[in-house]
Amino acid sequence: MVKFLKRFYLTLIFIFLYAPIAVLIVYSFNESKSRGYWGGFTFKWYAELFRDRDIIKALYYTFLVALLSSIISTVIGTFSAIGIHNMGLFGKKLALNINYLPVLNPDIVTGIALMTLFISVNMRLGFLTMLISHTVFNIPYVILSVMPKLKQMDKNMTEAALDLGATPSYALRKVIIPQIMPGVITGALIAFTLSIDDFVISFFTTGSGVTNLSILVYSMAKRGVKPSINALTTLMLLTVVILLLLINKRTTKGDELIP
Amino acid sequence: MKRRAGILIITGLLIISGLLVLPGCGKDKVVLQIYNWGEFIDPGLLEKFEKETGIKVELDLYETNEHMLAKLEAGGTQYDVVFPSDYVIEEMIKKDMLYKIDFNNIPNFKYVSDRFKNLNYDPTNEYSVPYFWGTLGILYNTEMVDEEVDSWDILWNEKYAGKILMLDSMRDTIGVALKKLGYSLNTTDTEKLEQAKQLLIQQRPLVNGYYVDEIKDMMINGDAAIAVDWSGSAMDIYWEGIDYIKYVVPKEGSNLWFDCMVIPKTSQHKKEAEMFINFMLDPENAYQNSLYVGYASPVTEAFERIMQENPEVAEMDAYNPSEEVLDKCEVFIDLGDSRSLFSRIWTEIKVQ
C-alpha cells in the first residue's frame, strides 16, 4: 500500500511537471494556429521555423551570448572563488556576502541599473552590452558552485604539491583545478542555462537589432505566440534529452571500467 | 591536444562576436533601426525595402507600450521608427520625444483615408502616421448565446455567470463600464469613475477571469460564451475558419484605437525613416502587411482590396464597422495626472 502511494505520488509529480511540455510538443504539429483547437497533423511549423529570419537570428544570438558569457564568467568566477577561499576569515565573509547581493537582487533592478551604467558611460546598447550584462549576472552563480568544492578539498594537497617543487601555477593547473572540476562544470552549466533563460536583463541591455529568444517570445504577447516557437522548443528539448542520454551512457560506461 | 581545441573554439567565438559588433561602425552604409511589436510586420516587406533602397533594416521587438517608453526614455538607443498606440503618442509629444515628420517626403500619405487624419492624439497631424487600426468589442459563441448581442449589458447577464471573459487591460475594461453608463471613455470625473468601479465590482462574480492572449483559445474551445476583445482577435478567429464565433461593437459605442508610425528624437536617420514610412503606406505594401498581420490598414486601397477578395469580411463588424458604429467610438487620450486614479480603481476591482 505504502509502495503504491509512493509510486502514485511520484507519477503525479511527473505528470504535473511534464504535461505542459507534452501539450506544447503536440501543438507544434497542429495545423491550426490556435492552441485551443486541433486542425490536423502538420510539419509546416518546423518548415516555417527554418525560414523565419527573426527566429534564426534570435536563436543565434541567444546561443552565442550564452556560450561566451558562460565561458567568460566561468573563468572569472573560478579564479575569484579560489581567491576568496584563500582570504582571511573577515575578508572571506565580506566577499561572499557581496557576492550574494546580485543573486538576491531582483532582475529588474539589475537590468535597469546596468542599462543606466552603459548609458552613463556612453556605450551603445547592443551585442556587447548584453554580453557584459550576462557575464556579470553569471559570475556569482559560478562562485557559489565552486566554493563548496574548494571547501571539500584537502588543504594540504596544494602545500604538498608546492613542497614537492611545483610552481604555484603548476599546482593550480594540476592539483586545484582538477579537484574542483565538478563545481566548475556545474557553474558553467548554470551560467549557460541562466543566460538562455533571461528576459528582463536582456530586454533592458540590448539594442541595435540584437534580440534573443526570450525577448522574441515575450514580444509576441500582443498577437499570440507563433506555433513555430512550439516547434523550436520541441527541437531544443529534444537536443537536451539526447545530450543527457549520451552523457549518462558515457558516465555509466566509465563506472563499469572502475573495478 | 584537447586543450588546444578548446582554445581554438574560444578564439573562434571571440572573432565571430567581434565581427558582429563591428559592422555598425565599419562602413558608412545607413542602418535603419526599427522598434516594433512582435509579429507586427511582414518580414518579407523589410527585405523588399532593403532591396529597393539599399538601406539595411534592423528590427527590435517589444511587447507593451510601457516597455518601449521605458527603453526610449532611458536613452542609449538609436531607434528610427517606433509603433506606439494613440494615447502613448500624445504622451510622447508632450514629453518632446518625437520629431515632426516632413510630409513632403511622404507622398503616399495621400492614400491614407481622411478618417484617420488629424485625430485627437495628434490634432494637427505632424508627428504620426497611422499603421493599423481596430475597435474593442464583444466576441460571442453563437452556439451558447441565443439572444441578440448588441449591447455591453450582456456582460452583466447572470445567465452567463462564469462564462464571461474580461480583458486584463486597465483602460479597456474601465472603458467598457464607462460606455455602458453612457459616459466618455476619457472621462476623469471622480463621480463617474466611482460608478464604473461599482459596476465592475458588481460584475465580478459573473466573470470567469481577466485575460489577454488566452481569450481567443478559450472562446474557440467553448470554455466561455462571451468575451471582451479587440477586433484583431476576431479576425484571427475568422481566418482560422471558425464560424461559430461572432464579433460585435456594441451600440453604446466603444474604443477606436490606432497603432502609428513615429520618428523618435533618438533617430540618426530621419530622412531614411521617412522613406520607410512612405514605403509602408504604398497600397501594395500596406495590402501585403495587412494580410500578414491581420489588422485593418488605414490605407484605403489596401483596406478595400482585402474586402473585394473576401466579400464576407466586408460584412464583418471586426473588419469593416459601419459608419454609425464608428461615429460612436472614441479614441483614447492621455490621462495625464488621472492615471493614478485609474490605476487605483483597477486595483480595487481586481482584488475583489
Side-chain angles (χ1 to χ4, degrees), chain A residues 32 36 124 206 222-223, chain B residues 33 39 71 221 240 259 293:
Chain A
S32 156
R124 208 174 134 187
T206 189
K222 189 181 185 187
R223 301 276 308 118
Chain B
Q33 302 204 17
E39 288 298 289
K71 193 82 182 275
N221 271 346
E240 278 288 323
D259 286 337
V293 177

Side-chain angles (χ1 to χ4, degrees), chain A residues 32-36 60 64 67 115 119 124-125 199 203 206-209 211 216 218-219 222-224 226, chain B residues 13 16 20 33 35 37-39 58 60-63 71 74-76 78 213 217 221 236 240 259 293:
Chain A
S32 156
K33 225 178 169 174
S34 157
R35 277 157 290 163
Y60 169 73
L64 192 69
L67 214 63
M115 174 174 77
I119 291 164
R124 208 174 134 187
L125 297 178
F199 163 69
F203 179 85
T206 189
S208 313
T211 299
L216 186 80
Y218 272 94
S219 76
K222 189 181 185 187
R223 301 276 308 118
K226 255 196 194 172
Chain B
L13 285 170
I16 296 171
L20 278 171
Q33 302 204 17
Y35 205 26
W37 305 81
E39 288 298 289
E58 270 182 352
D60 281 342
L61 303 171
Y62 61 88
E63 75 198 284
K71 193 82 182 275
Q78 301 192 329
D213 196 21
D217 296 330
N221 271 346
D236 285 344
E240 278 288 323
D259 286 337
V293 177

Side-chain angles (χ1 to χ4, degrees), chain B residues 52-228:
Chain B
E52 266 179 24
T53 57
I55 298 168
K56 206 175 152 347
V57 179
E58 270 182 352
L59 177 67
D60 281 342
L61 303 171
Y62 61 88
E63 75 198 284
T64 63
N65 280 311
E66 287 66 28
H67 264 154
M68 179 271 294
L69 262 185
K71 193 82 182 275
L72 235 57
E73 279 189 301
T77 55
Q78 301 192 329
Y79 292 118
D80 298 300
V81 182
V82 288
F83 298 74
S85 308
D86 33 54
Y87 62 100
V88 183
I89 297 172
E90 196 182 347
E91 190 184 339
M92 290 172 92
I93 294 173
K94 276 184 202 159
K95 287 182 176 162
D96 194 27
M97 292 170 70
L98 300 179
Y99 275 127
K100 280 190 182 173
I101 295 172
D102 182 358
F103 279 88
N104 291 324
N105 293 333
I106 308 191
N108 287 343
F109 191 61
K110 63 171 184 276
Y111 295 119
V112 175
S113 161
D114 283 337
R115 179 175 268 291
F116 307 125
K117 291 174 180 168
N118 309 322
L119 291 160
N120 53 11
Y121 55 86
D122 182 11
T124 44
N125 217 123
E126 289 172 296
Y127 297 94
S128 67
V129 172
Y131 182 65
F132 281 124
W133 64 278
T135 52
L136 180 76
I138 297 176
L139 284 177
Y140 64 100
N141 188 327
T142 49
E143 286 163 10
M144 297 165 89
V145 179
D146 37 25
E147 58 213 79
E148 197 195 348
V149 182
D150 65 348
S151 157
W152 294 116
D153 289 344
I154 196 158
L155 297 169
W156 277 263
N157 189 333
E158 288 180 8
K159 218 164 96 189
Y160 304 106
K163 301 251 173 224
I164 298 171
L165 306 178
M166 294 296 281
L167 260 181
D168 188 6
S169 163
M170 175 177 93
R171 288 208 68 179
D172 289 298
T173 302
I174 296 175
V176 165
L178 286 171
K179 270 294 176 192
K180 179 178 146 66
L181 290 164
Y183 302 139
S184 161
L185 287 171
N186 294 316
T187 187
T188 49
D189 184 308
T190 337
E191 176 58 31
K192 289 174 180 169
L193 283 169
E194 182 62 30
Q195 287 178 35
K197 182 180 102 184
Q198 290 308 331
L199 203 58
L200 288 167
I201 289 174
Q202 184 199 323
Q203 184 209 20
R204 200 70 176 87
L206 306 177
V207 175
N208 176 300
Y210 292 83
Y211 305 97
V212 185
D213 196 21
E214 305 90 325
I215 289 179
K216 262 190 288 186
D217 296 330
M218 291 179 78
M219 286 301 291
I220 294 172
N221 271 346
D223 292 339
I226 308 166
V228 178

Side-chain angles (χ1 to χ4, degrees), chain B residues 37 40 42 52 60 69 75 84 88 101 116 139 152 170 238 251 255 274 276 289 300 325 347:
Chain B
W37 305 81
F40 217 48
D42 180 352
E52 266 179 24
D60 281 342
L69 262 185
V88 183
I101 295 172
F116 307 125
L139 284 177
W152 294 116
M170 175 177 93
Y238 170 77
K251 61 180 183 217
N255 168 233
E274 284 165 349
F276 180 81
N289 204 28
T300 319
V325 167
T347 319

